[in-house]
Amino acid sequence: MADPEELKSTSWEKDLTDALEAGGCDLETVRNIIQGRTLSSELRTKVWKIALNVAGKGDSLASWDGSLDLPEQALIHKDSQKLVDQLSVSQEEKSVLSLDVESVITFFCKSRNITYNQGLRWTDLLKPFLVLRLQRSDLYNCFYAVMNKYIPRDCLPRGRPFHLFRLLLQYHEPELCSFLDTKKITPDTYALNWLGSLFSGYCSVDVTQALWDVYLQQADAFFMFFLMLIILVNAKDTILGQEMETKEDIIRFLESSPCNLDIEDIEDLFTLSVYYHNKTPASFRKDNQCLFGSSLLGLKDDDMDLSQALCLPVSVSEILQANQQQGDGVRFFVVDCRPAEQYNAGHLSTAFHLDSDLMLQNPSEFALAVKSLLEAQKQSIESGSIASGEHLCFMGSGREEEDMYMNMVLAHFLQKNKEYVSIAKGGYMALQQHLVDMNIDGLENGYSEWIVSTSGPRNSISSVDGDLTNGSADGKGVKSLVNKMTFALKSKSVNVKEKVISFIENTSAPVDRISLSLSWPDRVSTDRHVSSSDKLGKPYRGVKPVFSIGDEEEYETDEIDSSSMSDDDRKEIVNIQTWVNKPDTKYHFPCNEVKETGHMFPSHLLVTATHMYCLREIPSRNGLAYIQSRQALNSVVKITSKKKHPELITFKFGSSGSSGVEISAVERYLIPNAGDATKAIKQQIMKVLDALDS
């Protein structure tokens, strides 16, 4: 009788073979069938072509005359021959393969105007493809795709990818990072060829192919950084035990670490990488997209110099979004390090104040404040506060000369080997500007949802940190305040901290309900629930709907908000997970519903075959939500995003009337990974429209 495991293995391979032979098979289908299993050579060839998006691609070499005449041609020929000599093939076949490799490298150099050198490790990248016996055109297409999508720009000594990797290492393993910094060992000294060859220069062909099987299915170039991180984490104890070794010996040990990988290690390697990936702020990826892909998106002059970054920078938009989300994602405990008068004049409502000036002016009080900070962080996590988070994010003013003391505070925490330490990119200035860009442009019109004051008048968005309305940021007034800081204000900020700690200890209510000097608006929703009996009228079919993810300069204030009319008594309460698991639910996107006032409500977008639902979470009833909105997909007129904030998506719904298009509803959502969400929704809309047309 056949072994059940053997039957199971045969079953998935047959399913994959059938799907590949049927044609039109995409990466998602392949991924769902394979589920991380190791592939046979025959299946690997087809799967890799799909993963690299080169299946069925034409011969890029067809227009080339085949001339092998580069100045460095002798070196290319020598390296090509050296690579082929490692393969167990006949001499005749070696000649063919060597010419294939030399042709691929030569044409790539000519087409990209690159001068070849051995340090590029291109032959290492070609080796896993070469053993698959690809046609020369397929070999080139696969090589080009890997170079374009998975090898980062500036993959050179002291290049940006290695500064970024050091920040990632510091974020998760500050002790190990500090040890290597002390030894003056930078990531490019040991990981340059890890990244340049995707480990193929260190692992056997079998191990490399097994690793690439999973890596290419991830379709995520940044995931290599996490694989590299796990290599170091796995060797941490050994590395830290090499205190007496020379710098050169430690580098040699580090560089050779991937050589110890076996095929059996691949599953654990990826499992751990996913864990660390999920514990990393999304800004790590989003703010560094310039490293990969089209040359049109290359490094810009205004990109942050990561070699000068004290720790991992996090965007203010992510800080605002993170603690609104449910689940096990990254949550921040924000520490505002500005002087007391600046903090008291206005600060993020969930931020804890740590006056960085105290570090030099009153070390004992600073030590007490740090102790209070860590205790507040611990208790906020235990209470489930909206201000809670195991990831510390420090916020300064955003002006370099004023944030000198904050940088010293950051260095203090890093020296203590505190993990998950980051800095708010652009500081409080960037936070204010972000809220203005989000159309939250007045204290009485939603601004106080995020920004609160504990002293002084609140008749301006930026009473301390400069005038944002004219785009200027003159720091003279702030400098004066810093220089004239008084003990009374410092004492006031300490009292604020005590109140925050007391609040966390005595209630589980969200910290953003704390009001030291403000009255908070009533949060009872007055938004309309669109029931299943609502009629939107005849779907708009006069002109083709526009599904572009375009730039939306400003909100149109005269448009109808689909949930702006009060109808609370009719709201249906449902279990979120039950709805997510319904058979007809095709997509689920956790998000925040954004109102015109700037108020944000944790919500869930569910897409069925014909409709899009918004379920708004009920804060006081965990796991339950109101059905806030129900919209037919064929009523979507346009989907747009804001240029500066691509996660903010606006859906416009309408129907045809005698005067043309009539907008019946406008809904806005802040959606993590908005590109994936809008793509899926667009595809479903097209299916609905195609069905109606037929």
Side-chain angles (χ1 to χ4, degrees):
M1 189 172 183
D3 187 336
E5 287 299 321
E6 185 177 336
L7 288 174
K8 185 177 180 181
S9 174
T10 305
S11 175
W12 76 263
E13 287 188 331
K14 183 179 183 304
D15 290 343
L16 180 58
T17 301
D18 291 344
L20 293 171
E21 290 179 352
C25 188
D26 59 15
L27 181 57
E28 187 63 30
T29 301
V30 167
R31 189 187 291 127
N32 289 336
I33 297 174
I34 299 173
Q35 296 182 4
R37 301 180 180 97
T38 303
L39 299 168
S40 65
S41 295
E42 183 181 353
L43 292 174
R44 178 174 289 127
T45 300
K46 296 178 180 179
V47 170
W48 282 14
K49 285 183 182 180
I50 291 173
L52 292 171
N53 198 29
V54 298
K57 187 175 181 181
D59 185 358
S60 300
L61 300 169
S63 59
W64 178 46
D65 62 7
S67 299
L68 303 174
D69 53 3
L70 290 174
E72 60 275 17
Q73 200 66 52
L75 179 59
I76 297 174
H77 178 79
K78 178 182 176 182
D79 287 349
S80 300
Q81 190 65 53
K82 184 178 178 181
L83 170 61
V84 173
D85 285 343
Q86 300 174 33
L87 306 178
S88 300
V89 296
S90 66
Q91 192 61 43
E92 182 180 353
E93 193 172 2
K94 282 185 179 181
S95 299
V96 175
L97 293 176
S98 179
L99 182 58
D100 285 346
V101 173
E102 187 172 358
S103 298
V104 166
I105 293 176
T106 301
F107 182 69
F108 188 80
C109 286
K110 288 187 173 185
S111 62
R112 301 290 287 267
N113 196 26
I114 298 173
T115 301
Y116 178 79
N117 68 77
Q118 287 178 312
L120 296 172
R121 305 304 292 260
W122 289 353
T123 53
D124 289 330
L125 275 177
L126 282 163
K127 188 175 181 179
F129 294 115
L130 206 58
V131 299
L132 296 179
R133 305 295 195 273
L134 298 174
Q135 294 291 325
R136 183 182 296 180
S137 60
D138 287 333
L139 182 65
Y140 179 82
N141 289 338
C142 288
F143 174 72
Y144 180 90
V146 167
M147 289 293 298
N148 189 55
K149 184 172 182 179
Y150 291 104
I151 304 301
R153 288 184 184 82
D154 207 20
C155 189
L156 302 165
R158 296 176 294 280
R160 183 181 179 91
F162 303 102
H163 297 310
L164 181 62
F165 179 66
R166 182 195 165 275
L167 295 176
L168 180 67
L169 176 63
Q170 179 192 61
Y171 194 78
H172 291 283
E173 293 290 343
E175 181 184 10
L176 180 54
C177 184
S178 177
F179 174 81
L180 295 176
D181 288 347
T182 301
K183 296 290 185 180
K184 293 183 170 55
I185 298 175
T186 54
D188 56 310
T189 60
Y190 59 85
L192 178 63
N193 292 326
W194 292 3
L195 195 54
S197 71
L198 306 182
F199 289 127
S200 62
Y202 299 90
C203 300
S204 67
V205 173
D206 290 344
V207 172
T208 299
Q209 289 184 325
L211 190 151
W212 284 18
D213 282 343
V214 187
Y215 179 55
L216 295 181
Q217 288 175 56
Q218 293 279 338
D220 178 7
F222 282 93
F223 204 78
M224 182 54 62
F225 287 102
F226 295 94
L227 297 174
M228 292 162 55
L229 177 63
I230 300 306
I231 295 293
L232 292 185
V233 171
N234 187 56
K236 176 181 177 180
D237 292 341
T238 305
I239 297 169
L240 294 179
Q242 296 183 337
E243 176 65 41
M244 305 306 295
E245 301 292 334
T246 66
K247 173 182 176 180
E248 291 71 22
D249 286 342
I250 297 174
I251 290 175
R252 275 193 292 269
F253 170 78
L254 290 170
E255 188 174 12
S256 63
S257 296
C259 298
N260 300 319
L261 283 174
D262 293 323
I263 292 180
E264 292 74 19
D265 299 324
I266 301 302
E267 182 178 355
D268 290 340
L269 177 65
F270 276 88
T271 299
L272 287 170
S273 297
V274 169
Y275 172 81
Y276 278 82
H277 172 274
N278 293 340
K279 289 283 187 179
T280 302
S283 296
F284 172 80
R285 174 199 311 272
K286 290 185 178 180
D287 292 349
N288 294 283
Q289 292 291 337
C290 57
L291 287 178
F292 298 97
S294 169
S295 58
L296 298 175
L297 302 174
L299 298 174
K300 302 184 291 295
D301 292 337
D302 59 350
D303 281 329
M304 183 177 183
D305 184 359
L306 296 180
S307 66
Q308 302 301 313
L310 196 57
C311 62
L312 188 69
V314 176
S315 68
V316 292
S317 60
E318 180 176 5
I319 294 170
L320 294 181
Q321 292 175 40
N323 288 29
Q324 300 290 324
Q325 304 295 333
Q326 287 188 332
D328 299 326
V330 173
R331 295 174 62 87
F332 298 102
F333 187 83
V334 179
V335 182
D336 192 323
C337 292
R338 294 174 299 143
E341 58 267 44
Q342 292 187 30
Y343 174 85
N344 291 333
H347 58 269
L348 185 66
S349 60
T350 55
F352 184 97
H353 184 228
L354 178 65
D355 192 338
S356 56
D357 290 1
L358 295 177
M359 188 172 183
L360 294 182
Q361 296 177 357
N362 195 332
S364 59
E365 186 175 340
F366 175 77
L368 180 62
V370 170
K371 184 178 179 181
S372 299
L373 183 157
L374 296 176
E375 182 63 24
Q377 181 191 24
K378 176 184 175 183
Q379 294 178 8
S380 68
I381 292 174
E382 292 174 350
S383 69
S385 163
I386 195 173
S388 67
E390 60 178 338
H391 298 251
L392 282 177
C393 186
F394 291 82
M395 179 177 289
S397 69
R399 301 182 183 90
E400 185 176 351
E401 68 277 9
E402 294 173 11
D403 290 339
M404 178 179 66
Y405 287 161
M406 181 199 68
N407 292 337
M408 295 175 65
V409 171
L410 262 173
H412 170 82
F413 278 83
L414 293 172
Q415 288 167 2
K416 299 293 184 183
N417 294 327
K418 178 70 175 172
E419 64 181 6
Y420 303 151
V421 172
S422 62
I423 185 171
K425 187 176 180 181
Y428 188 73
M429 270 178 36
L431 173 66
Q432 289 181 303
Q433 186 62 58
H434 176 74
L435 293 176
V436 171
D437 291 343
M438 290 280 289
N439 224 23
I440 307 174
D441 55 2
L443 290 170
E444 302 305 322
N445 189 31
Y447 190 79
S448 60
E449 172 74 13
W450 296 108
I451 301 298
V452 296
S453 169
T454 54
S455 66
R458 297 190 292 110
N459 57 1
S460 167
I461 288 182
S462 50
S463 58
V464 172
D465 277 343
D467 183 5
L468 288 175
T469 58
N470 59 12
S472 66
D474 185 358
K476 293 180 181 178
V478 179
K479 289 286 285 184
S480 175
L481 285 172
V482 172
N483 294 333
K484 296 178 181 179
M485 182 173 57
T486 63
F487 178 78
L489 279 174
K490 291 181 195 172
S491 301
K492 183 169 185 177
S493 73
V494 172
N495 291 336
V496 170
K497 286 183 289 192
E498 292 172 352
K499 289 181 181 180
V500 172
I501 295 172
S502 174
F503 182 87
I504 295 173
E505 289 175 341
N506 294 295
T507 178
S508 60
V511 167
D512 72 345
R513 298 286 294 203
I514 299 175
S515 180
L516 300 175
S517 63
L518 300 175
S519 58
W520 285 78
D522 187 25
R523 293 267 187 107
V524 177
S525 172
T526 60
D527 297 335
R528 177 191 177 209
H529 160 56
V530 183
S531 72
S532 58
S533 61
D534 289 344
K535 303 295 183 183
L536 290 175
K538 181 181 178 182
Y540 169 57
R541 306 289 291 167
V543 297
K544 186 176 181 180
V546 181
F547 300 122
S548 62
I549 307 302
D551 296 335
E552 181 184 17
E553 292 302 324
E554 294 293 339
Y555 292 142
E556 294 86 351
T557 55
D558 59 339
E559 288 182 342
I560 301 171
D561 189 313
S562 66
S563 52
S564 61
M565 292 170 277
S566 178
D567 200 4
D568 291 336
D569 294 338
R570 293 175 54 203
K571 286 185 177 179
E572 180 183 354
I573 297 176
V574 297
N575 183 285
I576 297 172
Q577 203 56 48
T578 299
W579 273 60
V580 169
N581 293 334
K582 279 187 173 184
D584 58 342
T585 299
K586 293 184 175 294
Y587 301 103
H588 167 224
F589 305 107
C591 62
N592 278 283
E593 182 188 3
V594 182
K595 310 308 295 178
E596 289 235 351
T597 60
H599 285 75
M600 296 172 64
F601 300 91
S603 304
H604 300 260
L605 280 183
L606 303 183
V607 181
T608 68
T610 57
H611 286 76
M612 184 173 80
Y613 293 81
C614 173
L615 306 186
R616 180 190 289 181
E617 295 176 10
I618 305 175
S620 59
R621 303 179 67 177
N622 190 32
L624 299 183
Y626 293 120
I627 301 180
Q628 190 65 25
S629 168
R630 175 183 181 271
Q631 301 285 4
L633 292 177
N634 63 348
S635 68
V636 176
V637 174
K638 195 170 187 179
I639 304 175
T640 57
S641 67
K642 289 187 76 67
K643 184 175 182 180
K644 292 185 179 179
H645 304 283
E647 303 93 348
L648 184 61
I649 305 299
T650 299
F651 294 88
K652 297 180 181 180
F653 304 88
S655 59
S656 60
S658 57
S659 58
V661 182
E662 296 178 2
I663 300 297
S664 59
V666 177
E667 297 177 7
R668 299 179 180 88
Y669 300 97
L670 205 57
I671 310 175
N673 300 319
D676 294 338
T678 52
K679 179 180 179 182
I681 294 171
K682 174 183 174 180
Q683 289 174 344
Q684 195 58 38
I685 291 171
M686 295 306 297
K687 290 180 181 178
V688 172
L689 297 179
D690 289 344
L692 289 173
D693 287 337
S694 60

